[in-house]
Amino acid sequence: MLENEIPIGIGSIWNSFFHPYREYISIFIDSDKRNNGLGILLFNEMNTRYRPNKLQTAFDSDNIYAYKFALKCGFKLARRTYCFSVNKNMLVPFK
């Protein structure tokens, strides 16, 4: 997502070898651009264009902002994790 040709947000849909039959979605919006509907706009665009069978998301349960955003996007809480991390070697490009 660009504003005046400057990146202010990014989204990705990716697979995890832990759950190879699920598609994960991740969205990041620059902190000073949040709470203006941009994350929902990006989520809706990605969900419309690349809609897989079922989207899943993951984030640290202590991140109340991510939790509230996920609820706005229609996600339901499946389980909690308090030590969430993803390293780039775990991510496989979407084909």
Side-chain angles (χ1 to χ4, degrees):
M1 177 175 278
L2 301 173
E3 181 179 77
N4 299 321
E5 298 185 30
I6 297 171
I8 60 167
I10 190 167
S12 65
I13 296 178
W14 49 281
N15 297 83
S16 162
F17 64 89
F18 293 116
H19 302 287
Y21 303 107
R22 294 280 183 136
E23 304 291 338
Y24 284 81
I25 187 168
S26 298
I27 292 176
F28 175 82
I29 301 295
D30 196 19
S31 60
D32 62 338
K33 301 293 181 182
R34 293 179 187 165
N35 298 312
N36 292 311
L38 298 175
I40 295 289
L41 183 70
L42 185 55
F43 171 80
N44 288 338
E45 181 67 22
M46 292 174 68
N47 196 30
T48 300
R49 284 190 188 203
Y50 307 108
R51 185 164 185 86
N53 292 332
K54 192 165 190 173
L55 284 174
Q56 187 167 320
T57 191
F59 50 87
D60 190 315
S61 295
D62 288 338
N63 187 339
I64 192 69
Y65 303 106
Y67 176 70
K68 287 180 179 181
F69 178 74
L71 291 178
K72 283 183 189 178
C73 291
F75 288 95
K76 308 252 187 301
L77 181 63
R79 68 179 177 272
R80 290 183 175 265
T81 178
Y82 292 95
C83 186
F84 176 77
S85 66
V86 173
N87 100 25
K88 69 179 182 178
N89 297 327
M90 296 170 66
L91 303 178
V92 178
F94 188 67
K95 296 177 184 178

